[in-house]
Amino acid sequence: MRIVVLLSAGRHRVSGRPSLPGVEAQAIALAAALADAGEAGTGGERPPSAMSFSGLHAGPGDEGIADAFGHGLEAIDRLEIAEGADPLPALARHLKEHPAELILAGRRAEGGEDTGLLPYALAEALGLPILSDVTAIAAADEPGALRFDQALPKGAKRRVTLRLPAIVTVHPLAPAPAPFVFARARRGVVRTLSGLPAPVAASPFAEKPHRARPKLMRSAAAGSGAADEAGDKLHVHPDPQEAARLILDHIERIGIRRYS
Amino acid sequence: MNRPRRDPRTERAAHAVPAAGRPRFDLASDVPLTRRRRRDPRGEFARALVPGAARLRLDRGQTGPSDFVMAYAVGAEAELPQLRVVETPAFLVFAVLDAGEGRLSRFDRQALGAARLLADAGPGGGAVVAIVSQAVEGLGSAGADRVVPALGRSGDAADDHPPADDPANVARRLAALIAEHEPRHVLFAETPVGGDLARRLAAGLGEAILTDVEYLTARTASRASRGGRREQAGAPPRLMAIGEDRVADYAGIPCEARQIAGPAEAPSSGESPVLSVEIIPGDPATMSLAETDFVVSAGNGVTDFGAFRELAAALKATPGASRVVCDAGLMPREAQVGASGTVLTADCYLALGIAGAPQHLQGIAGCEHVIAVNTDLHAAMVERAGLAIVQDAQLVMPALLKLLKERAP
Ligand SMILES: Cc1cc2nc3c(=O)[nH]c(=O)nc-3n(C[C@H](O)[C@H](O)[C@H](O)COP(=O)(O)OP(=O)(O)OC[C@H]3O[C@@H](n4cnc5c(N)ncnc54)[C@H](O)[C@@H]3O)c2cc1C
Ligand SMILES: Nc1ncnc2c1ncn2[C@@H]1O[C@H](COP(=O)(O)O)[C@@H](O)[C@H]1O
């Protein structure tokens, strides 16, 4: 099985220096765990279809990308494209010529446009299914499929069994990346392949320095549910049974929990 | 109480007569008034006036009209419309809502507020169409003119394949709906579900999208890029995913929320790669305070902590505590709610024997529903609560446990 981890040229949030985004390091850890499990699953013998996983990047340089070696990646291919050009055509052509069963990407890049759109556009271009916000990957009972855990709000999970090939984006709640090994990062060599010339992506939006905009204050203001509850909100010395009934009815009415 | 405000620039533009050479204006023609609202100091004064007092008394602390104001302003009330109806909208604005468990979240209301903002700003006035996957209450008062039900369901087949809530399927139906109605804007809330759907749709339609919008007016929308160093801004595009707590929700006259037909049957793409889907709910007992949706909290008024823990488990809530309790070692420090503990994002907060010190109230400022049990009628928590029970917590806890056992099947 071939696994490809998509790597983007990130910038560190604080220092602004080239670095590998955290979720992509986590994606590498997920791919490594999957490859290990695949080899172990065949009882030590060489599996018929050997697991392989590598990184893929489309961009003008490998600054920051090479950090991925330090997190345990063994091979990285870089598709040479011009500065500012759209990486999608180059990535799509490469992945069509060298198909992968599983393509892992970050949820959002850090330091580019950060829209998180690239995996979706790639899925559309390759005609593959896409699954977002994955935190764990495990083998499934069906052959040629894997079981993914998707992070949902409030600690919930969605467990999806998906037939491969597929594109998957990784959520920051996935297991922590392997510790960074400087010597490995130094030793690794990025293989450069020719990309596909694409026009410099013209965005319909103007770009300017960021201006921080305050968020709205969270309060139980008028219009939200709390202010609508008219009357009947204060009960002085009710019977405890009555008080319990009032509380449970209130919780069920506002739809937080159901107890029956 | 609000009168429309004149906008001299648009009036001037409306009067302009196309002519070569010098600009010419025909001032006699009818001018449409703009729809911007203006403050009415007299009306505000009248609303704050406390009637029946010997001296002039103003109560400025009110957030909405209270009963006596309604009595006072009977005449005015008669002419105010009770329901806002947009019969023939000039255009449509879609708001795609998560609305899990059949109720609107804060964030859903904000998405509707953003849609309302764009609908009211456009020429001719548009209508907000709420797109939900199941029946949801309170859409009208949150600002929806129309409702398209059941986006996620393709019928009542229980074993339909692909699963009805497969996002690829939902995106396909949504695309069909957009092709049918051609809305001017389609807004999403930047949640895991809404953000995923927005990106699928943008990739499918090959259209520009602004995700995680930080600032939205009728003329501009912007989002942070390059790791928060730069921002992308422009006229609001058709597709947008709104960030949380960026746009205020709608607080006007309820809209009608009329049901309109659901999407026409979208073409299915044959065999689905999704083999099975299972939702594993989060366990409130092990969830951190910051991410849970329901907290039961104990203060200095609680003495029986065994019963308290049992109650939290039975209510399926995450246990919390005030600082006094944590300082005394009765609850772990991670359980502390407040300014020096955890600031909650929960929807509901049940406070047992907590006075409601400012440092504690800061921690629950974002909770929409607060329930207080306290022996002191004048405690700050009782004032903050949407349901306040003035009773001994040691008596209410066992009663709650007993009732929960009775109700459990
Ligand atoms: C810098 C600073 C930071 C702080 N940060 C925090 C913080 O993060 N979180 C926090 O919680 N506090 C914080 N505090 C402490 C805060 O000021 C209060 O002291 C504390 O919140 C009070 O906790 P309490 O309401 O549980 O106790 P009390 O103030 O003692 O109130 C107990 C309440 O229980 C009621 N009661 C008594 N017996 C019963 C009964 N049998 N049944 C029902 N009700 C009963 C009483 O009427 C009273 O209202 C901070 C203080 C400072 C100075
Ligand atoms: N130039 C690129 N080459 C390879 N992968 C990329 C590139 N840009 C983005 N990606 C992948 O797409 C994810 C989301 O990127 P974005 O859409 O830019 O937020 C990133 O986390 C990467 O995994």
Side-chain angles (χ1 to χ4, degrees):
Chain A
M1 181 160 93
R2 195 166 107 89
I3 306 174
V4 167
V5 184
L6 294 182
L7 305 171
S8 67
R11 296 252 155 202
H12 193 271
R13 278 224 150 249
V14 179
S15 70
R17 296 181 52 189
S19 75
L20 188 75
V23 270
E24 288 163 32
Q26 288 174 298
I28 296 170
L30 279 182
L34 201 58
D36 285 351
E39 313 239 336
T42 49
E45 325 152 13
R46 201 89 195 116
S49 64
M51 291 272 191
S52 81
F53 72 104
S54 63
L56 180 63
H57 171 65
D62 54 11
E63 256 186 328
I65 303 298
D67 281 1
F69 289 121
H71 286 293
L73 206 59
E74 257 136 43
I76 301 179
D77 294 336
R78 180 173 69 84
L79 309 174
E80 176 76 42
I81 58 170
E83 175 86 51
D86 185 1
L88 181 64
L91 290 175
R93 189 186 67 170
H94 182 87
L95 287 168
K96 259 187 206 137
E97 285 169 5
H98 310 271
E101 270 81 77
L102 182 63
I103 301 172
L104 292 166
R107 181 171 203 270
R108 308 272 185 277
E110 267 170 36
E113 288 203 351
D114 307 356
T115 54
L117 265 176
L118 184 116
Y120 289 87
L122 195 61
E124 190 70 27
L126 298 176
L128 294 181
I130 180 162
L131 204 63
S132 62
D133 295 342
V134 163
T135 56
I137 307 179
D141 301 334
E142 296 86 352
L146 286 177
R147 207 185 62 203
F148 300 93
D149 283 356
Q150 269 181 304
L152 293 185
K154 313 289 181 204
K157 275 189 295 192
R158 196 158 165 257
R159 187 159 283 176
V160 179
T161 311
L162 191 69
R163 191 171 313 115
L164 301 181
I167 298 188
V168 156
T169 69
V170 175
H171 192 271
L173 285 179
F180 181 74
V181 182
F182 182 70
R184 292 185 62 169
R186 280 290 299 271
R187 266 202 307 277
V189 179
V190 176
R191 189 159 66 120
T192 306
L193 306 169
S194 71
L196 200 63
V200 170
S203 164
F205 309 111
E207 204 163 88
K208 51 189 184 185
H210 184 246
R211 195 171 124 201
R213 325 254 183 194
K215 285 192 166 197
L216 296 180
M217 295 279 282
R218 284 179 159 242
S219 65
S224 71
D228 301 340
E229 295 154 14
D232 186 35
K233 53 173 267 182
L234 181 64
H235 299 267
V236 181
H237 298 304
D239 181 56
Q241 315 303 332
E242 172 68 7
R245 194 188 57 75
L246 283 168
I247 293 174
L248 286 195
D249 286 353
H250 185 77
I251 292 173
E252 295 199 340
R253 183 154 45 81
I254 59 182
I256 301 286
R257 294 278 188 279
R258 295 251 162 268
Y259 296 111
S260 48
Chain B
M1 60 191 166
N2 282 312
R3 52 207 153 95
R5 175 176 185 167
R6 296 182 62 181
D7 181 350
R9 279 176 215 271
T10 26
E11 282 178 21
R12 212 172 104 98
H15 283 305
V17 178
R22 295 201 308 147
R24 277 196 56 216
F25 298 95
D26 174 11
L27 295 185
S29 64
D30 268 359
V31 176
L33 288 175
T34 50
R35 303 172 59 88
R36 265 199 283 171
R37 293 300 174 92
R38 162 170 201 169
R39 273 188 70 186
D40 178 4
R42 276 176 220 270
E44 280 168 23
F45 182 85
R47 256 174 291 134
L49 200 62
V50 178
R55 293 197 307 144
L56 173 71
R57 264 197 67 207
L58 295 176
D59 176 7
R60 297 207 190 263
Q62 304 179 52
T63 46
S66 66
D67 324 358
F68 66 76
V69 175
M70 295 313 256
Y72 184 79
V74 202
E77 194 195 12
E79 31 187 281
L80 271 179
Q82 290 305 298
L83 190 68
R84 192 177 151 168
V85 178
V86 182
E87 206 50 63
T88 46
F91 59 92
L92 298 180
V93 179
F94 280 11
V96 184
L97 308 177
D98 279 12
E101 295 145 26
R103 66 196 165 91
L104 290 175
S105 69
R106 277 167 52 76
F107 203 178
D108 288 329
R109 271 197 292 270
Q110 289 170 1
L112 277 171
R116 196 71 257 174
L117 178 109
L118 294 171
D120 289 347
V128 172
V129 184
I131 299 181
V132 290
S133 50
Q134 52 183 303
V136 177
E137 288 171 25
L139 282 167
S141 56
D145 296 313
R146 307 278 190 276
V147 177
V148 177
L151 184 66
R153 307 269 163 265
S154 59
D156 47 3
D159 56 346
D160 49 352
H161 191 87
D165 58 348
D166 178 5
N169 220 4
V170 179
R172 226 173 288 125
R173 298 171 151 270
L174 194 54
L177 197 66
I178 289 172
E180 189 180 328
H181 291 277
E182 293 179 346
R184 180 171 292 186
H185 298 285
V186 184
L187 303 187
F188 298 83
E190 186 66 71
T191 57
V193 177
D196 178 52
L197 205 53
R199 288 174 178 81
R200 280 175 195 274
L201 203 66
L205 299 178
E207 238 177 86
I209 178 172
L210 279 185
T211 56
D212 211 351
V213 170
E214 286 192 342
Y215 177 72
L216 179 73
T217 63
R219 288 210 207 125
T220 43
S222 75
R223 64 175 293 273
S225 66
R226 317 237 165 252
R229 259 162 250 276
R230 315 269 299 165
E231 68 180 24
Q232 295 177 322
R238 188 151 86 129
L239 301 181
M240 276 185 284
I242 310 289
E244 185 156 24
D245 292 336
R246 297 298 182 172
V247 185
D249 47 10
Y250 174 71
I253 308 156
C255 300
E256 81 183 306
R258 190 195 301 164
Q259 300 252 339
I260 57 173
E265 207 53 40
S268 172
S269 74
E271 188 77 342
S272 164
V274 179
L275 299 177
S276 72
V277 176
E278 179 192 358
I279 304 244
I280 304 169
D283 175 12
T286 59
M287 228 184 274
S288 85
L289 276 180
E291 61 176 358
T292 175
D293 63 337
F294 182 23
V295 178
V296 180
S297 201
N300 211 8
V302 172
T303 47
D304 184 357
F305 279 86
F308 169 72
R309 290 205 186 81
E310 204 182 317
L311 178 64
L315 283 171
K316 290 183 241 143
T318 310
S322 78
R323 174 155 169 183
V324 180
V325 170
C326 295
D327 281 353
L330 295 166
M331 288 285 283
R333 182 58 77 194
E334 300 85 74
Q336 183 181 321
V337 174
S340 47
T342 307
V343 176
L344 303 184
T345 55
D347 297 330
C348 185
Y349 187 69
L350 171 56
L352 298 165
I354 299 180
Q359 295 89 354
H360 192 87
L361 289 184
Q362 269 176 41
I364 62 165
C367 296
E368 203 174 294
H369 306 284
V370 176
I371 306 171
V373 179
N374 201 309
T375 44
D376 179 5
L377 175 61
H378 303 285
M381 190 58 89
V382 170
E383 194 198 326
R384 168 73 173 79
L387 173 69
I389 309 278
V390 179
Q391 184 55 275
D392 191 332
Q394 261 60 242
L395 300 178
V396 175
M397 284 195 296
L400 267 172
L401 279 170
K402 186 160 151 270
L403 194 59
L404 279 168
K405 282 214 186 79
E406 280 169 18
R407 288 203 183 177

